[in-house]
Every structure is written in structure tokens, then in C-alpha cells.
Amino acid sequence: MTASFFGDTAVLTGRTLRHVTRSLDTVITTVITPVAMMLMFVYVFGGAIDTESASYVNYMLPGILLITIASGVSYTAYRLFTDLQSGIFERFQSLPIARSGVLWAHVVTSLVANLISLVIVVGVALLMGFRTGAGVPAWLAVAGILFLFTLALTWIAVIPGLSAASVEGAGAFAYPLIFLPFISSAFVPTQTMPGPVRRFAEHQPATSIVDTIRDLFAQRPVGDDIWAALAWCVGILVVAYVLAMAAYRRKIA
């Protein structure tokens, strides 16, 4: 990567960020869904779920954070798709700029937009009674895991953004990602699930990430969960990046 790449990416990121600030409804929509889920689960279902000593808002917040990210990255696919349809990619190719900078601009914009959404969701959780004695190192660890998870899902979003045939198709990929935390330890202990569902829940990415974040907030030893969480995030990121770049090369060839 050269200085030109970073400079071009910074300029193009400024462009996509301006699009976000001009349509704040996308950020609001991204936040409304997880906040509504949090309100419903805490005040409607929370009393019926046994989480031992933890308050239910503390228990389910990690899962809500993953849903917030999954909801947010759908707009990355949408923005990328609309850029392609507008012909802006062809105009960028005629300029002396780093070609991959166009994709990275959308990725960085996704990271910024999702950070804003996550901060808002945590703020609402605090108003609902979320409390943690976690220190700065634990918060940094949580931020690092969420950063990797956002980066991995964003590169997944790039693939349909480049290859979808319609706006609806570009955003539809996010639905399985949004529902994945529901079949995990995010909202109920996996021990309460029937055999096949329990086995899937215990060996899918969301569970290890949720358990790690929950232990960090609760100041408990994270054990092997953190390594599983990191392995899932890095593995998904590498595969998604390779596939996204291959799709990009086919698109601009």
C-alpha cells in the first residue's frame, strides 16, 4: 500500500461519509431495530428467562450489539450497489487513483457508522440498567472484537453490493446475519435448547463472541472463548476479503 492509496481512500471516505450525514435516517433505522428488540426482550421476555445472577439487560446486550452490526452493514451493500448503478465506478476508473480505495472507502464508512450505532445502543442499555465494573483493558478488548466482527461482516456486505441484481438483493444477505444471534447463547442459555439446535448454537460464531464479551463485561475469565471468537472473526474476514476482491476485479475488468 502506498501513500497514494491512503490519500485516495481518505478522500473517497469523506465522500461516502457525507452521504451518510445527508441521510441520517439510515443510522436511525440501524439503531431502531436493535433498541426495539432490547426493549422487548428486557421488559416482555426478560422476567421469564433464568440468567442466574446477571440482570437480563447485562446478559443479552452482547447479542444486541452483534445484531446492530449485522443490521448496519446492510447499508454498506446498499451504498455500494447504488454507486455501481450510478456509473461512478466507471468515472473513478478514468482517474489516476488507487482502484481498491473505492472499496476501502465504503468499508471505513461502515466502521464509522457502526461505531455511532453501537455507542447509541450502549447508551440506551445504560438507561435501561446495564452496569459493568469492567476496566479500560476489558472495554478495549470488547471494542477490538466488535471492530473485527464489523470489518468481517462489512467485507461480506461488499460481495452482494458488487454482484446483486437489485437493491433488495443487495440488502437481503443481512437477514441471516441478523437472525444468527437468536440461535446462540445471546438471549437464552444454550443448555435449554434441544440437542441438534444446541450443538449448532454452541459451535457457531455468535456464541463464542457473545460469551467473550459477556465475560469481559462481568469481569470473569474468558477462557478459550476469546480465541474461538478471534479465530471466527479473522477467518471470516480473510475469506470475505478474498471473495470480495475477486468480485471487484470481475466487475471492473
Side-chain angles (χ1 to χ4, degrees):
M1 294 185 181
T2 64
S4 173
F5 166 81
F6 290 108
D8 294 340
T9 301
V11 172
L12 293 168
T13 300
R15 167 187 170 270
T16 52
L17 283 173
R18 283 193 294 273
H19 288 178
V20 172
T21 57
R22 290 170 186 167
S23 58
L24 288 176
D25 56 308
T26 59
V27 177
I28 293 171
T29 304
T30 300
V31 171
I32 284 177
T33 299
V35 166
M37 287 183 181
M38 190 160 54
L39 290 168
M40 180 178 65
F41 273 91
V42 171
Y43 295 122
V44 178
F45 303 127
I49 299 174
D50 181 16
T51 59
E52 298 179 355
S53 60
S55 68
Y56 192 60
V57 66
N58 281 31
Y59 184 87
M60 51 92 73
L61 178 60
I64 291 294
L65 296 179
L66 299 196
I67 290 174
T68 303
I69 294 168
S71 177
V73 298
S74 65
Y75 286 101
T76 301
Y78 167 78
R79 286 189 292 266
L80 193 53
F81 179 84
T82 54
D83 266 2
L84 278 171
Q85 296 303 304
S86 70
I88 193 70
F89 269 56
E90 287 76 6
R91 291 196 288 274
F92 284 149
Q93 288 178 47
S94 66
L95 299 175
I97 62 174
R99 290 190 174 187
S100 60
V102 179
L103 289 186
W104 276 104
H106 283 280
V107 171
V108 174
T109 298
S110 172
L111 293 172
V112 174
N114 276 287
L115 172 62
I116 295 170
S117 299
L118 290 170
V119 169
I120 294 173
V121 169
V122 171
V124 173
L126 288 168
L127 293 175
M128 294 173 61
F130 168 70
R131 296 294 182 269
T132 175
V136 173
W139 274 101
L140 290 176
V142 170
I145 292 169
L146 293 176
F147 172 84
L148 276 177
F149 186 70
T150 305
L151 192 58
L153 292 199
T154 298
W155 278 106
I156 291 178
V158 168
I159 300 170
L162 291 171
S163 57
S166 65
V167 174
E168 293 77 13
F173 83 98
Y175 294 124
L177 300 180
I178 291 171
F179 284 106
L180 191 62
F182 288 97
I183 315 175
S184 73
S185 62
F187 299 103
V188 297
T190 57
Q191 293 86 344
T192 64
M193 301 176 183
V197 177
R198 176 179 177 178
R199 284 191 290 275
F200 173 79
E202 290 178 344
H203 297 91
Q204 58 114 323
T207 292
S208 59
I209 297 170
V210 163
D211 288 348
T212 298
I213 294 174
R214 186 179 289 142
D215 288 340
L216 287 167
F217 280 149
Q219 300 174 283
R220 293 193 297 260
V222 293
D224 293 334
D225 284 331
I226 191 168
W227 302 115
L230 292 174
W232 274 113
C233 289
V234 173
I236 293 169
L237 172 58
V238 171
V239 173
Y241 176 79
V242 170
L243 294 177
M245 294 305 294
Y248 183 54
R249 284 191 291 270
R250 287 195 301 271
K251 185 64 67 173
I252 66 175

